[in-house]
Amino acid sequence: MSWRRNGSTCVLLAALAAFPASVVAEGGLSPEEAARRMVLPSGFHAEVFASEPMIRQPVTATFDARGRLWVIEYLQYPVPAGLQPVKIDQYLRTEYDRVPEPPPKGPRGLDRIKILEDTDGDGKADKSTIFVDGLNLASGLALGRGGVYVGQAPYLLFYPDRDGNDVPDGDPEVLLSGFGLQDAHATVNSLAWGPDGRLYGAQGSTVTARIRGIEFQQGIWRYDPDTKEFELFAEGGGNTWGLDWDASGRAFGSSNGGYIAFHVVQGGNYVKGFAKHGPLHNPRTYGYFGPIDYRSAKLGGHVTPGGVIYKGDAYPESYRGAFIGGNLLANAVYRHDLERSGSSYAGRHGEVLIDARDPWFRPIDVLVGPDGCAYVVDWYDKRASHLDPRDNWDKTNGRIYRIVHGERRRLQPFDLSKLPSTDLFALRTSANDWQAAEARRILGERRDPSIIPLAEKSLAAERDPTLALRDLWVLALSGGLDTRRALECLAHPVPAVREWTIRLLGDRGTVDPSVASSLEHLAETEPDAAARSQLAATARRLPASTGMRIVERLLDRAEDRKDVHIPLMLWWACEHHLSRSPEIARDAMLRPEFLRRALVRDVILERAARMWASAGDEGSDLACARLIELATDPLDEAKVVAGVELGVTGRRLESIPSRFRAALERLADRSSDAGTRSRLGIRLGDPAATASALARAADAATPETDRVALIALIGERAQAETAPALVELLRTDASTTVRIAALSALARHEGKEIANALMSAYPKATPQLRARILDVLIARKPWRERMLDAMEKLEISAKDLSLAQVVALRQLAEPATTERVERLWGRIPGPGSPEKIKRVAEVRGILPEGDKGVAARGVEVFRKQCAGCHKLFGEGEAIGPDLTGAERGDLEFLLSSLVDPSAFIRKEYEAQSVVLADGRTLSGLVVDENDKTLTLFDSKREKTVIPTSAIEERKSSPVSLMPEGLLDPLRDDEIRDLIRYIQSSGPKR
């Protein structure tokens, strides 16, 4: 059974671009040709360990205690079997009609787990055994505890195999349920055993998990097989595919982006694509971590799946501790060198380990084997991007390569699970970490008490950091880390031993007084930044009384002010205890001696003020009042003001405790900044402050940024007496920015007089301001009716409404409004069909591939496909809209227009359906009309002149003149070229 699996499922699927490589024949290379073609550093070469037809679409792999390689074949990707999509968004996140039952009851898919063996010792797998098949998007794999752990969203499954005969003992046990299934390239993945004996895993970006009341998108999670406890270890971190630990037991998650990895700390909150994936689930984190700092140019695009920290002994010393990660866009594998930077790490480019010279090479998982070699799992496919939903992946192949330095090491057959515990413990000294880690995993399952004295003795004498830490992990996994031994470990000379002891104690959730005292002492004296970072993480997990004492001592460590992790970790500890034990945490924080520290001023003061000011309960208001009273230093006051203003934004303060009101009034009085005085006075409902703010906002001598801020604050309160002044600013102010601010403030008011004022200001407004006025009018029913009245009276042109505004009007679901708008503007676009949404996604998905399109080549495609109806840059026919001034820069609008033309029809380009007396029905765009004839231009670009006397019925057609399937006859490269040309700034003159 295996200690870890370090992989990624198809982040290949997270690719946003593909980089050109050497020309390879259609269909790719044979496995042996591909290996020979690879360029590696001097002394290295690639060997084919396994390939098609033995394996196909390998997505992750792990070694067992016998050195056999277990592989998931991800053949069901990208669509789960037996489910029907009911909703698909623009990121291809798909909601299905039901939650599938776990196997074997649920839909039977094509995925399977295979065991690969090299029985004759020639270095290549010659035996393949199917452990289980019929899996349905199985993307994570780990071995241990007498069976096989499988991540198959929405489940974490356990297949028992107690007798080790490679046949499941029965149906799987469902350990967890709720992993996200919305996107098959971002599901549960990277199952791996941590040094603490818990099962860790990752989830990618475009799915949402809901497990035992915990919701998250991106993150690292862990599961304790003994207690059955599940927790979110860290949140965020991009589309994580790949998880490993360095020799010090610090975790690294691979991801996609202009970086290589995240150093994942316990309780950390990491950057997300917030616009796409939503905020962090704790709204009071008030900050987040980024990836490790990369201090050199990063080669090969942005995707780094399945990275591994090299801890083997078969490569040169320069590889020891380096991060090896695949890059499927560059068809390469790179070595990235890591170095400590405070409590975290920085990285830089080491060297290119594999330059495949093959555009089909897609390395999606890297792992280190019992022989110390890196093994690379190659999805092998011409296609890289998952953004095209078409299932045209090449499922006929897949490879696993062994990367060898010098001569391949030949291992004799072995089975670590059969060794006595003492022999397993002896493997602690192995230079190849795989041996030591696998032995430790087995010892952790056995919990053999005879190992405790051996580990204790060795740990006490050991000064080598790696070996000492291995001793600690075995001691803890064997049940030997009692209070006495923990106290000894907290004083151990190896910093990583202290760091991990702190972590293991924190995982228990409580400690006895002697340990608590030792942790507090370490917070004062610990010289290692990583250990101090762990103290901050552990302080959050302990009871508030102990945790806050540790935090307070860590806040004395001014050397950590610039550390990449520690300051925010200390805030998150404070926030945790303020949320769960508010009285204890407040008492600790609201003391003059607490506030004097530089780190408190840097990271705590503003955030605490913000949290308390936003809460709205009496206890928090009083805490905020006390903080204001204590913050008499100008620097402290500035931090508190900033926090209070952020916290009370959008909150009305009329009914607040008198002590809080008095504190805010004193803060306003003593502030040297007039803006601060005004803002606080306005929030408190002070008429004089409001009048003063209006006067300053109307004064052109006031800096524009201050004017806009004051107007926004006045608008938040929406007091009727402020409306006339705001209307005056809208009508007369010279600054467009100020007028837009006044308009936004007026949008919060009610009453027809406001609508009348907006309509009055409309004729003299700039185009930018007119668009904003229409937005405001649309937002309220009486106002939009007033707007439509004006359009019907031709006081305002209906053509001033943008497409987005028309769509917004339709979404109001008011039949009368919809009818009026369609009569004035044209047919309002409705939502596209699932087929059209899919086709838009298909086209979007091919855009980043190849050379991404060349505008100069797109000219000819435009002439053939579009110029018969549209002008662009002065070329083409003016039958349809002139594209030069259209919304060409909006890719989503452009794709929708090309793929689903009938969804968006402007009134002036609305086709007509004409029923003739002879029984024919013709449709087309009316290009000429007089009292005698009507001329239609149809989708075949043919003109038909019809006598008006022959027309029996005429009505608007819901079908666009623009032909359906315009892009279908084009090759992918032609589509890319066309899009690039349409979105370009025009041909070079």
Side-chain angles (χ1 to χ4, degrees):
M1 296 296 162
S2 133
W3 166 64
R4 66 170 298 281
R5 93 123 209 68
N6 176 49
S8 116
T9 147
C10 358
V11 156
L12 72 125
L13 323 171
L16 294 182
F19 290 78
S22 302
V23 175
V24 170
E26 187 68 27
L29 302 171
S30 72
E32 290 72 22
E33 288 173 326
R36 286 194 298 269
R37 190 182 181 103
M38 292 176 179
V39 177
L40 292 91
S42 177
F44 285 90
H45 67 277
E47 299 176 349
V48 179
F49 175 74
S51 62
E52 69 272 7
M54 180 177 284
I55 57 167
R56 295 186 293 128
Q57 298 230 261
V59 75
T60 186
T62 189
F63 286 97
D64 68 11
R66 295 163 55 184
R68 304 181 303 171
L69 190 64
W70 293 58
V71 181
I72 288 182
E73 293 184 314
Y74 205 41
L75 296 164
Q76 185 59 49
Y77 177 85
V79 180
L83 304 183
Q84 296 298 319
V86 295
K87 181 181 179 183
I88 305 174
D89 71 9
Q90 68 268 39
Y91 304 114
L92 295 186
R93 287 180 290 216
T94 304
E95 298 293 341
Y96 293 99
D97 58 343
R98 60 194 174 94
V99 176
E101 291 186 273
K105 296 179 180 179
R108 184 175 175 82
L110 300 175
D111 299 337
R112 54 194 178 192
I113 297 174
K114 282 185 174 177
I115 311 168
L116 308 182
E117 298 181 68
D118 173 13
T119 63
D120 57 12
D122 68 350
K124 189 168 184 177
D126 51 54
K127 180 181 178 182
S128 170
T129 303
I130 296 176
F131 176 76
V132 66
D133 60 7
L135 298 175
N136 194 8
L137 290 183
S139 49
L141 173 68
L143 311 177
R145 300 278 178 150
V148 180
Y149 293 83
V150 178
Q152 176 181 297
Y155 304 108
L156 175 64
L157 306 171
F158 178 73
Y159 282 90
D161 182 18
R162 308 293 180 193
D163 55 9
N165 67 347
D166 301 332
V167 177
D169 297 339
D171 293 344
E173 177 186 356
V174 175
L175 303 178
L176 296 172
S177 179
F179 289 103
L181 186 58
Q182 294 88 357
D183 188 342
H185 88 281
T187 52
V188 52
N189 68 92
S190 304
L191 304 189
W193 293 104
D196 54 4
R198 300 194 191 193
L199 183 65
Y200 287 72
Q203 180 173 269
S205 56
T206 43
V207 295
T208 298
R210 297 178 181 88
I211 302 171
R212 298 180 182 175
I214 300 172
E215 178 178 303
F216 65 100
Q217 284 84 37
Q218 308 152 27
I220 302 296
W221 53 270
R222 66 177 182 174
Y223 173 79
D224 188 330
D226 293 322
T227 65
K228 313 300 183 185
E229 177 188 8
F230 169 85
E231 68 174 299
L232 183 59
F233 185 79
E235 184 180 0
N239 196 12
T240 306
W241 292 100
L243 178 64
D244 197 16
W245 289 262
D246 68 3
S248 296
R250 300 179 189 122
F252 292 80
S254 306
S255 188
N256 59 337
Y259 40 77
I260 59 166
F262 289 84
H263 169 208
V264 184
V265 297
Q266 186 176 38
N269 294 281
Y270 291 81
V271 65
K272 299 171 64 179
F274 296 109
K276 179 177 179 180
H277 306 121
L280 293 163
H281 283 78
N282 180 353
R284 296 180 297 276
T285 55
Y286 302 150
Y288 49 83
F289 299 148
I292 64 171
D293 184 24
Y294 202 66
R295 296 176 178 174
S296 67
K298 181 177 181 290
L299 302 184
H302 79 287
V303 177
T304 304
V308 61
I309 305 294
Y310 185 74
K311 303 184 289 294
D313 61 342
Y315 292 174
E317 184 61 27
S318 59
Y319 274 76
R320 192 84 180 181
F323 181 87
I324 300 175
N327 192 298
L328 57 98
L329 299 182
N331 318 114
V333 175
Y334 299 117
R335 185 193 93 206
H336 306 275
D337 296 333
L338 301 176
E339 60 187 43
R340 277 288 296 273
S341 178
S343 70
S344 189
Y345 291 82
R348 64 180 67 252
H349 179 72
E351 68 178 342
V352 179
L353 180 57
I354 300 176
D355 179 0
R357 307 290 176 93
D358 178 0
W360 286 59
F361 177 65
R362 305 297 184 185
I364 60 173
D365 195 8
V366 183
L367 63 161
V368 176
D371 55 4
C373 292
Y375 288 71
V376 178
V377 177
D378 178 11
W379 177 265
Y380 207 72
D381 201 309
K382 181 179 180 180
R383 176 179 171 182
S385 174
H386 76 284
L387 298 175
D388 179 348
R390 289 176 293 183
D391 186 6
N392 57 8
W393 299 94
D394 188 334
K395 300 182 181 182
T396 64
N397 51 35
R399 292 92 189 266
I400 296 174
Y401 300 99
R402 178 195 295 110
I403 309 305
V404 180
H405 183 262
E407 292 295 322
R408 179 173 62 85
R409 182 182 299 171
R410 297 177 181 271
L411 301 178
Q412 296 300 315
F414 65 90
D415 187 347
L416 298 189
S417 67
K418 298 294 193 291
L419 293 181
S421 295
T422 52
D423 288 356
L424 289 173
F425 181 71
L427 287 174
R428 61 183 284 280
T429 62
S430 173
N432 180 17
D433 186 77
W434 185 91
Q435 305 283 346
E438 183 66 8
R440 178 172 65 246
R441 184 195 62 76
I442 297 169
L443 287 173
E445 292 181 10
R446 291 181 183 177
R447 292 185 71 85
D448 185 345
S450 70
I451 293 300
I452 293 175
L454 295 176
E456 181 181 14
K457 180 180 179 181
S458 179
L459 176 58
E462 189 60 71
R463 295 300 179 264
D464 178 272
T466 298
L467 298 184
L469 200 48
R470 290 175 179 177
D471 290 338
L472 172 65
W473 289 332
V474 169
L475 178 67
L477 290 172
S478 300
L481 191 63
D482 57 16
T483 296
R484 175 185 63 80
R485 296 185 183 101
L487 289 169
E488 292 172 354
C489 290
L490 291 175
H492 199 280
V494 172
V497 170
R498 300 193 299 272
E499 176 188 345
W500 261 93
T501 303
I502 294 164
R503 175 163 160 182
L504 293 168
L505 291 169
D507 284 345
R508 299 174 182 178
T510 185
V511 293
D512 71 17
S514 62
V515 172
S517 177
S518 183
L519 292 173
E520 293 168 29
H521 177 70
L522 270 182
E524 294 176 349
T525 62
E526 174 57 56
D528 184 73
R532 296 197 298 274
S533 178
Q534 184 58 55
L535 275 165
T538 293
R540 180 181 177 184
R541 303 175 70 88
L542 296 176
S545 55
T546 300
M548 289 305 299
R549 287 196 297 270
I550 293 171
V551 166
E552 188 165 356
R553 284 152 181 78
L554 288 171
L555 286 166
D556 282 325
R557 307 298 295 270
E559 65 266 42
D560 292 329
R561 292 179 69 181
K562 302 300 182 182
D563 189 85
V564 69
H565 285 164
I566 293 174
L568 268 177
M569 295 289 285
L570 291 171
W571 162 246
W572 293 334
C574 289
E575 185 277 328
H576 176 88
H577 293 306
L578 283 170
S579 297
R580 289 157 180 79
S581 303
E583 291 83 2
I584 294 173
R586 289 172 190 161
D587 288 347
M589 295 172 66
L590 293 173
R591 292 178 293 114
E593 56 270 28
F594 183 91
L595 302 177
R596 283 196 290 265
R597 300 169 172 89
L599 260 170
V600 171
R601 179 175 291 160
D602 288 347
V603 74
I604 303 295
L605 207 56
E606 179 178 329
R607 291 177 171 87
R610 181 179 178 182
M611 179 176 173
W612 283 327
S614 66
D617 61 89
E618 184 173 6
S620 295
D621 282 347
L622 295 178
C624 198
R626 177 59 177 159
L627 189 63
I628 293 170
E629 293 162 0
L630 291 171
T632 56
D633 181 276
L635 292 176
D636 294 346
E637 181 183 278
K639 293 286 187 179
V640 170
V641 167
V644 167
E645 289 208 88
L646 286 170
V648 300
T649 297
R651 178 185 172 196
R652 290 187 175 273
L653 300 177
E654 285 89 346
S655 300
I656 60 174
S658 57
R659 185 178 171 189
F660 187 27
R661 174 176 289 279
L664 290 173
E665 290 171 347
R666 286 195 298 273
L667 186 61
D669 290 341
R670 72 183 188 225
S671 175
S672 60
D673 177 59
T676 297
R677 291 196 298 272
S678 291
R679 289 191 297 272
L680 290 175
I682 292 168
R683 293 192 186 284
L684 289 166
D686 180 3
T690 301
S692 173
L694 282 170
R696 293 187 69 231
D699 186 353
T702 304
E704 188 176 84
T705 53
D706 290 350
R707 299 177 73 195
V708 169
L710 288 168
I711 291 168
L713 183 54
I714 292 166
E716 278 186 30
R717 294 186 59 81
Q719 295 170 296
E721 57 270 25
T722 63
L726 294 172
V727 169
E728 187 63 20
L729 285 173
L730 172 64
R731 286 173 174 163
T732 63
D733 202 87
S735 167
T736 298
T737 303
V738 169
R739 296 174 77 184
I740 289 175
L743 175 62
S744 298
L746 285 166
R748 296 174 176 266
H749 290 252
E750 297 181 6
K752 64 179 182 180
E753 67 279 1
I754 303 298
N756 291 335
L758 299 185
M759 298 298 299
S760 174
Y762 189 87
K764 296 182 179 180
T766 64
Q768 180 185 11
L769 191 58
R770 284 186 175 191
R772 299 291 288 270
I773 290 174
L774 293 177
D775 286 336
V776 171
L777 291 170
I778 288 169
R780 294 182 185 274
K781 186 173 183 178
W783 295 7
R784 59 179 168 267
E785 290 178 350
R786 173 72 177 85
M787 175 192 74
L788 293 173
D789 289 343
M791 290 179 176
E792 288 172 344
K793 295 174 183 177
L794 303 182
E795 297 171 358
I796 295 178
S797 171
K799 293 182 181 180
D800 287 356
L801 287 170
S802 70
L803 174 65
Q805 289 167 334
V806 170
V807 171
L809 285 163
R810 179 192 175 98
Q811 290 174 340
L812 295 170
E814 297 173 351
T817 299
T818 300
E819 187 276 329
R820 293 180 76 183
V821 175
E822 288 186 338
R823 180 159 36 85
L824 290 163
W825 189 89
R827 191 172 67 83
I828 301 177
S833 67
E835 293 78 13
K836 293 294 175 62
I837 293 174
K838 180 180 178 182
R839 179 56 176 154
V840 167
E842 289 173 359
V843 177
R844 188 193 303 113
I846 67 173
L847 294 182
E849 301 211 348
D851 57 13
K852 303 183 184 180
V854 177
R857 295 197 306 249
V859 176
E860 286 305 315
V861 185
F862 176 83
R863 287 170 179 164
K864 282 179 19 181
Q865 297 296 113
C866 311
C869 293
H870 296 281
K871 273 191 175 182
L872 179 60
F873 309 126
E875 181 177 1
E877 297 292 330
I879 304 298
D882 187 329
L883 301 182
T884 311
E887 299 174 63
R888 296 180 292 117
D890 185 341
L891 180 61
E892 294 306 313
F893 174 71
L894 179 58
L895 292 180
S896 296
S897 298
L898 289 168
V899 172
D900 194 4
S902 295
F904 303 93
I905 306 173
R906 286 295 301 265
K907 185 172 180 64
E908 57 268 39
Y909 299 107
E910 193 172 67
Q912 297 287 303
S913 177
V914 178
V915 179
L916 304 181
D918 62 4
R920 291 182 296 160
T921 301
L922 304 177
S923 344
L925 191 68
V926 177
V927 294
D928 189 26
E929 184 176 9
N930 56 48
D931 62 341
K932 301 291 184 183
T933 63
L934 179 148
T935 303
L936 290 180
F937 183 88
D938 64 22
S939 60
K940 296 178 181 178
R941 301 179 184 175
E942 296 178 354
K943 292 182 180 180
T944 303
V945 179
I946 305 168
T948 54
S949 59
I951 298 174
E952 289 191 349
E953 183 180 358
R954 174 181 169 181
K955 60 183 178 180
S956 296
S957 170
V959 179
S960 171
L961 174 68
M962 185 170 166
E964 294 278 344
L966 182 73
L967 301 180
D968 293 350
L970 300 181
R971 301 189 308 270
D972 287 357
D973 61 308
E974 290 178 318
I975 292 174
R976 287 191 286 269
D977 293 341
L978 175 63
I979 298 296
R980 296 298 171 245
Y981 177 60
I982 292 176
Q983 291 201 304
S984 74
S985 57
K988 302 298 182 184
R989 303 285 185 188

